[in-house]
Amino acid sequence: MKAILKDFLTYAKMNTRSDATSQTIPTTPGQVELALLLKDQLIEMGVADVAYYEKNSFVIGRLPGNPEKTAIGFIAHVDTADFEAENIQPQIHENYDGKDVCLNKEKAIYMTTAEFPNLKDYVGETLITTDGTTLLGADDKAGIAEIIDALRILQTMDAHKRGDVWVAFGPDEEIGTGADRFDAADFPVAFAYTMDSGRVGHMEYETFNAARIDITIDGTSVHPGTAYGRLVNALKIAHQIDDALPAEEVPERTRGYEGFYLLHNLTGHIGRAEVSYIIRDHDHMLFEQRKANIVGIIDELNTAYGQERITYTLYDQYYNMGDLIKKDPRSIEAARAGMQAIGVTPIEAPFRGGTDGSKITYKGIPTPNLFVGGENFHGQYEFITMEAMEKARDLIVAIVEHVGKEDTTVS
C-alpha cells in the first residue's frame, strides 16, 4: 500500500469530529490525539522545529531550505464535520468500474451513478468510500496525508533550490473557530495554502465577507381573551423583520458573487423570541450595506412599537481574503503555475463560504485554498481516489519548485 493511502486510512479511522457546544481547545479529545500523532510523525520524518502548541492545538513544523529563498506554508485541519464519525470504516474499490457502488450490503446502502454522476470521472482509479454509515473525513484528512507525502518527496530533492516549507495542522475548522487562535508569528512564511477544497483543479482565493446578527424580541403576552390593545406577539415581530428583507436575496436564490441573508434560527413564543441571521457578500461595500439594512429595519420597528422591543448583537465573522490576496498575487500565480506543471486546469470561482485561509490572510499571511481531490463532503456519500490525492500532493511539490525558481529573497 502506498504511503499516502496508508496515512489517509490511519487518519480517517480516528474520530476527530469537532463540537460547537464545547468550550475546550480544541473542542474534542480526538483532535488532540491526531495532532499528537502528526507531531510524532513529523519528528520521525526528520522535520525541524516541530511543536504542538497547547495554546491553540496547532502542530507546526519546518522542512529547512535555502534561507535566501521565499518560505511558504501548507495548512490542513484535523477535525471533521457535524456528521457521524464513530467507527469509520473506509472501503477501498480498486480499479473502479464506473458502476453503482455498494457501500453497505447488509444495510442495502448504495452510491449510484444516477444520483452521483461525478463517480464516472474516476473509472480505473482506486476509489475510497465510506461504509454508508459515517462520513469519510477526506475533508480534511486527505489534505493532511497529501502534505505529509509531499514532505517525503521534497526531502529527496535539493533543498538549496527552495526556501523553507512550513506545515501546520489545526483544529476546529468545521465550526469556524480554529483559525481564530492561529498565531502567524509561529508560521514565518510569505504566503501559504490551505489544502481544503474539493474536486481536482479547484482553487479559491475569494470568499464571502461574513457577519451574524443575534436578535432578541420582547413581546407582551396576555390572555387572548383580554388581549385587545395589549398583546404584542414577539413571533409576529420576527416575521415582520424577515418580510422586510429582500425576498430574492437568500441562499437558495443566489449564486456566484451574489450575497444573501439567511434566517438561521427562530425560536420562542408570544412573549419572547430569539432570531439569528447570517449575512454574506463578496463585495465589502455591499456587505456593510446589508448589515446597515437589517439594523435599519430593527430601528424602524422599535420606533413603530414606541419602545425598544428588539435588541441585537451584530458581529463580523470573517472577510473576503481576495481583497488582500489580489494586492500580493504571488500565491495565486504560483498555484496556477503548479497546476500547469502537473497538467491540471485550474477551476477558479468565488467560494460561497469561508475557509481558515480567510482568517489567516487577515493575520498577515495570504492563504488561498487548494483542492484535496475529494467529493460529496460532510456525509455518508463522501469519496476520494488515491490518484486525486496524488495530484494534490504533486501540486504541493510543483508549487514549492516554482517558488524556488521564481523567488530569490524572502519578502
Side-chain angles (χ1 to χ4, degrees):
M1 184 181 292
K2 291 186 176 181
I4 191 170
L5 180 55
K6 183 178 179 181
D7 281 343
F8 173 67
L9 295 177
T10 298
Y11 310 149
K13 290 176 182 178
M14 300 174 71
N15 182 353
T16 59
R17 178 179 177 177
S18 47
D19 180 2
T21 67
S22 171
Q23 300 300 310
T24 63
I25 301 174
T27 58
T28 51
Q31 295 184 74
V32 177
E33 184 182 356
L34 178 52
L36 293 177
L37 182 152
L38 292 169
K39 174 191 172 184
D40 291 344
Q41 188 172 11
L42 290 172
I43 291 171
E44 289 171 8
M45 291 174 65
V47 175
D49 302 328
V50 177
Y52 171 71
Y53 293 92
E54 292 190 4
K55 64 184 178 182
N56 57 18
S57 200
F58 272 83
V59 176
I60 291 178
R62 176 177 67 95
L63 192 64
N66 184 342
E68 298 300 316
K69 290 184 178 286
T70 299
I72 63 173
F74 297 89
I75 303 166
H77 64 88
V78 301
D79 65 317
T80 59
D82 187 18
F83 194 86
E84 180 58 54
E86 190 63 45
N87 193 31
I88 295 173
Q89 298 295 325
Q91 311 294 304
I92 299 176
H93 313 264
E94 294 185 356
N95 194 22
Y96 170 59
D97 61 9
K99 298 178 181 178
D100 294 350
V101 180
C102 178
L103 301 179
N104 194 309
K105 187 173 182 180
E106 179 182 339
K107 297 185 177 181
I109 302 173
Y110 289 81
M111 181 161 53
T112 68
T113 57
E115 188 172 7
F116 301 103
N118 47 338
L119 279 167
K120 294 186 177 181
D121 296 331
Y122 300 95
V123 172
E125 299 187 14
T126 301
L127 181 71
I128 307 136
T129 70
T130 75
D131 69 351
T133 64
T134 69
L135 50 61
L136 179 61
D139 175 16
D140 189 25
K141 290 166 182 175
I144 300 172
E146 291 154 6
I147 292 170
I148 292 290
D149 212 43
L151 290 177
R152 292 190 183 102
I153 293 173
L154 290 168
Q155 285 178 315
T156 69
M157 301 168 68
D158 186 353
H160 187 72
K161 293 182 178 180
R162 57 162 175 80
D164 289 346
V165 178
W166 288 81
V167 299
F169 307 115
D172 293 326
E173 187 273 347
E174 296 292 357
I175 58 173
T177 61
D180 291 335
R181 295 180 288 270
F182 181 83
D183 190 342
D186 297 328
F187 209 64
V189 299
F191 53 87
Y193 302 90
T194 50
M195 302 299 297
D196 194 22
S197 190
R199 189 177 174 90
V200 169
H202 276 233
M203 173 172 68
E204 293 103 15
Y205 54 87
E206 295 177 282
T207 57
F208 275 138
N209 296 290
R212 179 183 174 108
I213 186 167
D214 296 320
I215 303 168
T216 299
I217 305 168
D218 288 314
T220 300
S221 180
V222 298
H223 190 283
T226 58
Y228 182 80
R230 299 170 62 196
L231 184 146
V232 178
N233 192 330
L235 294 172
K236 289 283 190 179
I237 296 176
H239 284 293
Q240 285 181 288
I241 295 172
D242 200 60
D243 288 344
L245 293 169
E248 296 298 314
E249 297 179 13
V250 290
E252 62 269 32
R253 296 182 183 177
T254 53
R255 58 186 174 179
Y257 285 99
E258 296 171 331
F260 60 77
Y261 305 88
L262 172 62
L263 176 57
H264 194 266
N265 239 7
L266 171 57
T267 60
H269 46 79
I270 293 171
R272 189 177 181 88
E274 306 282 345
V275 188
S276 295
Y277 284 88
I278 62 172
I279 303 166
R280 302 288 188 265
D281 209 295
H282 287 91
D283 183 279
H284 196 85
M285 184 177 70
L286 295 177
F287 172 62
E288 294 296 333
Q289 289 176 1
R290 288 185 182 281
K291 292 190 291 181
N293 183 37
I294 198 165
V295 169
I297 291 167
I298 291 169
D299 289 343
E300 289 178 6
L301 285 170
N302 277 330
T303 298
Y305 281 98
Q307 65 183 92
E308 191 181 71
R309 288 191 174 273
I310 311 167
T311 57
Y312 63 87
T313 301
L314 173 63
Y315 54 95
D316 292 349
Q317 297 170 300
Y318 57 85
Y319 301 109
N320 184 356
M321 62 183 176
D323 292 342
L324 297 186
I325 290 174
K326 289 176 183 178
K327 295 177 182 178
D328 179 5
R330 288 177 297 166
S331 58
I332 306 170
E333 293 164 355
R336 289 172 180 154
M339 290 195 202
Q340 182 179 11
I342 65 171
V344 170
T345 301
I347 303 170
E348 301 178 28
F351 184 52
R352 292 181 63 79
T355 68
D356 273 354
S358 304
K359 294 179 178 180
I360 294 170
T361 295
Y362 278 84
K363 290 175 180 281
I365 304 173
T367 308
N369 191 34
L370 302 178
F371 69 86
V372 298
E375 302 211 37
N376 302 346
F377 290 161
H378 295 192
Q380 69 198 95
Y381 299 111
E382 185 181 0
F383 71 85
I384 197 167
T385 68
M386 182 179 69
E387 290 79 2
M389 287 195 290
E390 289 175 328
K391 280 286 188 185
R393 173 206 64 196
D394 293 346
L395 175 60
I396 294 170
V397 174
I399 289 172
V400 171
E401 289 184 298
H402 173 79
V403 174
K405 291 176 183 176
E406 293 294 311
D407 297 319
T408 57
T409 58
V410 176
S411 296

